[in-house]
Amino acid sequence: MNLIGPFADRSPSTPNVGEGAIPGLRGAPVRTPVRSSGVTTGPALWPAVAGRVLTRQMWIELYGLPGYAMTLSAGKATAFAATARDFRPADINLGKAVMGGRFPLAGSNLEAEAPADPWNRPSPSKAFAVDLHAFAWMPGLMLQGERGAREALRLTLAWADTFSRWSPFAWEPRILARRVYNLACAARKMGAVASEADRLRLADTLGRQARQLLRPPGGLAGKAERLVAAAVAGCVLAGQAGSRLRKAALGRLPGALRVTVAGDGGHASRSPEAGMELLLDLLTLDDALSQLSEAAPEAMGGAMIRLTTAMRLQVLPDGRLAGFQGGGPSTVARVAAARAHDEHAEATASAVGSVGGLTRIRSPLLTIVTDAGAPGKGAWSEAACAQPLALEIVCGKDRIVTGCGWTPRAADRQGLRLTPGHSTLTLGEQSFAEPLGGWKGELLGPRLYGRPYHTTSERRDGDGAVWLEVEHDAWAQPFGLMHQRRLYLDQRLDELRAEERLHPAAGNRDVVRIIAAPYAVRFHLEPGVQASLARDRRSILLRGHSGRGWWFRTDGPDVAIEPSVHVEEGLTRRSLQVVVRGSARTDAETKIRWKLSPAGAAGDPS
């Protein structure tokens, strides 16, 4: 049995950071290779490595015992209760493809026309296998009516024939949580078209998997998502079996939510998308509990309120999320589904402030979000990106400046998590942190590992203007320099004036021996944004999807428009980036000024 084909024994490789200005963009003209940060894993990582080495084999041996499956069958369910509703918009085209025997998942395809199934054949990629075993195809298939429900039942029971016993990949906690959630949301419809024997078997396989979610391993990161999935299954399964499962999951959920959702509504991973996905799961659980006339735990209601409030700052005027720390912008439809219950959703357009380390300022036509926090730590950093002070800028409803959009769905493009993949300043074409690779990455996941850094942020509101100053010390150790980004937003003129300031860090004068370091200030553009360099070689005309023009100007010594890439839904698209290059002395102050203003203003370059 080949679970995931050539990926069965492959460990995540160390990111290739020498392919060009944007790692992962092969064959594109580039100017300077990205060098490794030189950060080596220190002693702080070894306890986690040792703990995982000791426990991993133990769980494999325990859960692989012939009699282990019997421990998951206690209290068999014989019927279904609540009809769990997934509020996410489903892809009807995916459902049609699966009905035709084709599985288009994670940018790859697999042909498995009925009565065949995809479970006992190689998958084209690991990302494909993850989506396949997470039942990511299930919501779209359920839109196909009774025929779709019958096909979903057939595929589910075929999966159970092959994977009813625990296995390290198919029962991996995160894959298991998504499979249980998707299965629970479809269970009532599948049960309605099933025979008595198949309905009992369907309920049994859902109960077994949900009970496994309450057991180790799994860790703190993702615990809330696992418990929500188990609780949803407990709402769907009728009788004492469902009641016990629901009670156990809901009893542990408040503690997990307190760690996962901060007081301001930010997710512990600092990914806006992760917060939105958790909110969507909680909405499903809340709805299922109401069908059973049961009140949601107080901590759950509080977490939903905080996540909802945070989204008012995280959703930008184009209707999508700010794409920071491994969270992509998502889709307008998915964001709208997560906010449909929010009575104050219209407040998004005028929202300003900070949440989860992201600070947002705005004028009538400009919305700017900057990352003024450090990446998640430990297990929370598996989707984190090395992007200190990164920017996203929306002009009107056009997202103009963004990042490379990396998310865990693009797991094979780890290099895009490095600092040059984001709209911020780099020194020496380095990244201050890198994802773990090799056997360590296999054990702990692709955590972001590097030098810790600190950020400060100060905002001042004036008469028709906003000042925002953010600073970090990630470059203090290798170069002895602090990076300060000063933003001045003229709200009357819809004009953003900025200054990148590099200045010597206190206490590093005797450590740093480098006299000067090359810098690059990058502004990654949304795919489809047009960029034209003016004759003065200091100005660039940017046009978004609406056609409205914006002038980018700088006093930097070298300005260029270069290739970039942007990840959308796990697929890589070509895009552009504006890059300002120069050299900064490590014993003196360096300033690079730039401005963004509407085209047509006085003084436009010809």
Side-chain angles (χ1 to χ4, degrees):
M1 176 172 56
N2 192 333
L3 177 61
I4 50 175
F7 294 85
D9 299 315
R10 179 181 294 183
S11 301
S13 60
T14 301
N16 187 342
V17 296
E19 293 178 4
I22 299 299
L25 180 58
R26 297 179 182 270
V30 292
R31 300 177 55 173
T32 309
V34 178
R35 302 181 181 88
S36 170
S37 65
V39 177
T40 56
T41 52
L45 188 66
W46 288 109
V49 170
R52 187 63 58 88
V53 169
L54 291 173
T55 60
R56 185 184 188 189
Q57 191 62 32
M58 179 182 71
W59 297 124
I60 291 176
E61 296 291 339
L62 174 62
Y63 293 155
L65 291 174
Y68 177 73
M70 297 177 62
T71 69
L72 297 174
S73 61
K76 288 188 177 181
T78 59
F80 299 112
T83 302
R85 176 187 173 191
D86 188 354
F87 290 86
R88 297 169 177 84
D91 184 356
I92 191 170
N93 293 322
L94 174 58
K96 290 179 179 179
V98 174
M99 286 295 298
R102 184 169 61 87
F103 290 79
L105 301 171
S108 300
N109 283 281
L110 180 69
E111 301 288 340
E113 189 171 355
D117 65 69
W119 307 120
N120 204 12
R121 61 184 65 197
S123 288
S125 70
K126 184 174 182 179
F128 180 98
V130 168
D131 280 359
L132 181 67
H133 285 267
F135 285 20
W137 42 268
M138 180 74 80
L141 192 56
M142 299 310 294
L143 294 179
Q144 305 303 309
E146 184 177 320
R147 288 181 62 243
R150 291 186 184 279
E151 180 64 7
L153 177 65
R154 184 188 74 84
L155 290 169
T156 299
L157 297 182
W159 180 92
D161 288 338
T162 308
F163 296 103
S164 58
R165 288 184 59 183
W166 185 91
S167 62
F169 179 84
W171 288 65
E172 191 273 332
R174 272 174 285 197
I175 296 175
L176 178 61
R178 297 325 302 168
R179 182 169 64 247
V180 167
Y181 178 89
N182 287 323
L183 192 56
C185 290
R188 283 291 296 269
K189 288 184 178 180
M190 287 192 289
V193 300
S195 65
E196 178 68 16
D198 285 346
R199 184 169 62 253
L200 292 175
R201 191 176 171 209
L202 176 63
D204 180 57
T205 190
L206 175 59
R208 286 170 178 267
Q209 294 179 72
R211 280 186 279 274
Q212 178 65 37
L213 285 174
L214 302 180
R215 302 181 182 182
L220 194 57
K223 184 177 182 179
E225 288 80 358
R226 296 193 302 274
L227 292 173
V228 171
V232 170
C235 293
V236 170
L237 296 172
Q240 194 174 39
S243 177
R244 287 178 177 175
L245 179 59
R246 186 167 66 250
K247 183 178 179 180
L250 292 177
R252 304 180 194 180
L253 184 58
L257 288 175
R258 279 193 292 270
V259 176
T260 305
V261 184
D264 63 1
H267 194 274
S269 67
R270 297 201 56 239
S271 163
E273 186 180 32
M276 180 186 72
E277 293 299 317
L278 177 57
L279 175 59
L280 284 163
D281 286 354
L282 290 171
L283 288 170
T284 297
L285 177 56
D286 186 61
D287 181 69
L289 288 170
S290 68
Q291 293 179 39
L292 302 177
S293 300
E294 292 188 15
E298 184 178 348
M300 175 178 152
M304 292 172 64
I305 292 173
R306 297 196 304 277
L307 288 166
T308 300
T309 303
M311 283 193 69
R312 295 174 196 158
L313 279 168
Q314 294 167 340
V315 177
L316 301 185
D318 62 355
R320 298 179 296 157
L321 289 171
F324 290 96
Q325 293 300 334
S330 193
T331 64
V332 173
R334 203 174 186 94
V335 170
R339 308 190 65 224
H341 70 289
D342 184 6
E343 298 177 353
H344 303 286
E346 68 280 357
T348 292
S350 58
V352 295
S354 299
V355 61
L358 303 179
T359 299
R360 171 170 163 163
I361 59 176
R362 67 174 299 275
S363 68
L365 289 180
L366 285 176
T367 301
I368 300 99
V369 181
T370 186
D371 188 351
K377 297 180 180 179
W380 295 108
S381 71
E382 286 191 25
C385 296
Q387 53 178 51
L389 312 192
L391 281 175
E392 287 205 332
I393 303 176
V394 177
C395 304
K397 291 189 176 182
D398 294 335
R399 192 169 304 207
I400 300 292
V401 176
T402 182
C404 280
W406 182 89
T407 73
R409 291 186 293 278
D412 57 332
R413 281 148 284 186
Q414 295 285 323
L416 296 181
R417 299 170 66 183
L418 307 185
T419 311
H422 308 277
S423 295
T424 187
L425 179 145
T426 58
L427 282 174
E429 292 294 348
Q430 290 188 9
S431 179
F432 75 92
E434 298 172 5
L436 284 178
W439 64 272
K440 294 176 185 175
E442 173 69 15
L443 278 174
L444 301 177
R447 299 182 181 185
L448 193 71
Y449 193 86
R451 293 181 295 270
Y453 70 88
H454 304 282
T455 62
T456 59
S457 177
E458 181 182 359
R459 171 185 168 154
R460 300 189 299 274
D461 292 283
D463 184 16
V466 180
W467 282 90
L468 178 63
E469 294 184 1
V470 286
E471 185 175 65
H472 74 91
D473 61 0
W475 305 117
Q477 182 176 337
F479 298 103
L481 290 172
M482 303 284 287
H483 173 211
Q484 183 183 68
R485 173 166 268 174
R486 295 173 170 177
L487 303 176
Y488 174 81
L489 178 59
D490 190 321
Q491 295 170 310
R492 296 191 182 104
L493 299 177
D494 288 308
E495 184 175 89
L496 176 63
R497 305 167 205 165
E499 179 182 85
E500 312 289 341
R501 177 173 173 256
L502 294 166
H503 63 96
N508 281 294
R509 295 180 183 275
D510 297 330
V511 177
V512 177
R513 295 181 175 86
I514 302 173
I515 298 175
Y519 66 76
V521 188
R522 289 181 168 84
F523 302 88
H524 292 273
L525 306 180
E526 177 89 353
V529 173
Q530 301 174 13
S532 305
L533 186 64
R535 283 182 288 181
D536 65 359
R537 310 294 296 179
R538 289 288 182 272
S539 304
I540 295 176
L541 180 61
L542 305 174
R543 291 193 186 276
H545 298 285
S546 70
R548 179 192 290 268
W550 293 82
W551 281 111
F552 173 89
R553 301 180 178 88
T554 180
D555 64 358
D558 182 15
V559 186
I561 301 171
E562 300 181 3
S564 181
V565 294
H566 188 82
V567 177
E568 290 185 2
E569 296 299 314
L571 302 177
T572 303
R573 295 181 59 188
R574 290 184 177 271
S575 59
L576 299 172
Q577 60 175 320
V578 175
V579 187
V580 182
R581 285 190 168 84
S583 182
R585 291 187 62 89
T586 58
D587 58 354
E589 182 180 79
T590 301
K591 294 182 179 180
I592 310 102
R593 291 173 294 184
W594 55 272
K595 181 171 70 171
L596 189 66
S597 57
D604 283 351
S606 57

